[in-house]
Amino acid sequence: MIADVLDDLGPLFLGSRLKRLADRFQADAARILRDEGLGIQPAQFPLLAALDRYGPLSVNDAAAALGVSQPAVTRTAASLVELGLVEGTRSDTDLRQKALSLSPAGRDLMASAKSGLWPRVQTAATDLCADLSGPLLGQLAALERRLDDVSFERRVRSAQVPGEVRSGLAIREYTDDLAVRFQEINAEWIEAMFSLEDNDRRILSDPRGEILDRGGLILFVEAEDLGIVGTCALMRTDEGCFELTKMAVSERARGRKAGEHLLRAALARVHAMGVGTLYLLTNTKCEAAVHLYEKVGFRHDAEIMERFGRRYARCNVAMRFPL
């Protein structure tokens, strides 16, 4: 077996050794963020965390808080502004500088991350580093061996947080082989409570043509022990106007908060898609769903009802998400 050069040469390549370890963590973090449906990259998270902790910050103050360069903060902030997660306003104390702050979508993302993801990451990282001792290089080697045995991604997914019921949920993008699950999951709840309408049949029979090819999005939520259990779509109905539609969770996955996990993942994509108006149509019989929509920020809207409500015979509730 070929020896590990960086391990053999010890302190000579300490920087490369640290970078290699960091790259492993970053790769796992990227997969975790993708599956959590947060729609950001690991390198963007520290700036969001700083703005969440301290409130509005100038670029200079953000750079000091993160220990990075001002150009690095500027680049990261620009990407987060584009995603709709950060806003830039003039500083009250120095008009030459812009104060960066979290947008409403950014605050929602941080609230979701801190309540669901961060406790598991904290638990996994604490467990990974437990009982390390001795010289730094020896600790690095021990960390690498532990990650060889069980990746950080797997550690986060299996982390047991006191008082938390583990969900084991991950977000999946649409693929054509999942079209049948999109149809089955939605038909299950519609036929159980109402009846399939022509609009339902058209969308469910051709999700790619009706949704994706028109600039929309379809997501799924997967439970580690049950497979694909839920789905939802953002469907373009006019220029800059999208409907949150065909959102459903299989009966067998109820009680796991799969619907909320899926809904927050969809909302995290909204700003990046250039959505100007986001609405949904539902029915008062879907009491739990209406409560969830209200919880994440949707508001009942008479204009949306008048404009779109007649698309479904069953529709007696119309809501808009503030953007």
Side-chain angles (χ1 to χ4, degrees):
M1 178 182 292
I2 298 177
D4 183 337
V5 172
L6 298 187
D7 189 18
D8 274 0
L9 294 176
L12 184 62
F13 286 100
L14 178 59
S16 296
R17 185 79 175 275
L18 292 171
K19 183 179 184 303
R20 183 175 72 179
L21 189 59
D23 287 345
R24 294 182 69 169
F25 280 112
Q26 291 289 84
D28 277 355
R31 287 188 286 269
I32 292 167
L33 291 174
R34 178 200 64 202
D35 289 346
E36 290 291 315
L38 295 180
I40 61 172
Q41 296 299 312
Q44 296 170 316
F45 224 150
L47 179 55
L48 292 174
L51 296 176
D52 178 70
R53 169 171 288 191
Y54 297 116
L57 293 172
S58 69
V59 171
N60 289 345
D61 288 341
L66 298 173
V68 299
S69 68
Q70 294 176 25
V73 170
T74 300
R75 288 192 298 271
T76 302
S79 67
L80 291 170
V81 168
E82 186 175 347
L83 290 173
L85 300 174
V86 166
E87 299 171 335
T89 57
R90 289 294 179 187
S91 170
D92 291 336
T93 57
D94 187 347
L95 295 179
R96 296 170 300 176
Q97 297 190 56
K98 279 190 174 182
L100 303 173
S101 61
L102 293 178
S103 68
R107 290 194 291 272
D108 286 346
L109 183 147
M110 287 302 303
S112 176
K114 289 192 295 184
S115 65
L117 177 60
W118 282 20
R120 285 183 278 134
V121 173
Q122 177 75 29
T123 298
T126 300
D127 178 70
L128 177 65
C129 298
D131 302 321
L132 289 176
S133 62
L136 174 61
L137 290 176
Q139 293 187 44
L140 292 179
L143 275 176
E144 289 175 330
R145 287 193 297 271
R146 292 179 182 183
L147 291 174
D148 287 339
D149 293 336
V150 182
S151 72
F152 192 65
E153 179 185 6
R154 286 180 56 195
R155 290 172 183 271
V156 171
R157 298 203 184 288
S158 62
Q160 295 292 329
V161 179
E164 179 192 50
V165 178
R166 287 288 295 116
S167 62
L169 301 174
I171 299 299
R172 296 287 179 251
E173 301 283 344
Y174 177 89
T175 57
D176 286 331
D177 63 336
L178 290 176
V180 65
R181 294 297 293 135
F182 182 73
Q183 183 176 38
E184 291 171 348
I185 293 171
N186 276 288
E188 175 188 318
W189 81 265
I190 295 173
E191 292 177 329
M193 301 183 69
F194 307 100
S195 60
L196 285 172
E197 302 180 26
D198 289 342
N199 207 35
D200 297 315
R201 296 187 185 93
R202 187 181 70 254
I203 295 170
L204 296 180
S205 65
D206 184 19
R208 177 169 289 281
E210 293 292 324
I211 299 173
L212 296 177
D213 291 347
R214 298 183 181 185
L217 171 78
I218 298 174
L219 296 176
F220 295 87
V221 60
E222 181 179 29
E224 58 187 1
D225 57 338
L226 297 175
I228 298 295
V229 295
T231 184
C232 73
L234 294 173
M235 184 172 71
R236 183 177 179 272
T237 57
D238 203 346
E239 186 64 35
C241 186
F242 285 73
E243 178 185 358
L244 176 74
T245 187
K246 298 298 175 280
M247 177 163 175
V249 173
S250 178
E251 185 69 36
R252 62 201 178 108
R254 299 287 163 83
R256 300 191 182 198
K257 294 192 174 182
E260 181 173 350
H261 189 71
L262 182 62
L263 179 56
R264 292 191 182 279
L267 292 176
R269 310 290 183 91
V270 165
H271 290 278
M273 294 172 64
V275 176
T277 298
L278 179 65
Y279 70 94
L280 62 84
L281 307 172
T282 186
N283 187 282
T284 49
K285 288 177 66 176
C286 306
E287 185 177 355
V290 172
H291 176 70
L292 173 59
Y293 297 142
E294 292 172 338
K295 176 182 176 181
V296 301
F298 278 92
R299 296 293 178 262
H300 296 266
D301 193 292
E303 180 195 357
I304 293 296
M305 175 63 79
E306 175 64 25
R307 186 175 172 189
F308 300 108
R310 286 183 289 273
R311 293 181 62 225
Y312 293 97
R314 63 179 177 268
C315 175
N316 65 5
V317 172
M319 308 178 79
R320 183 199 300 259
F321 189 78
L323 294 171

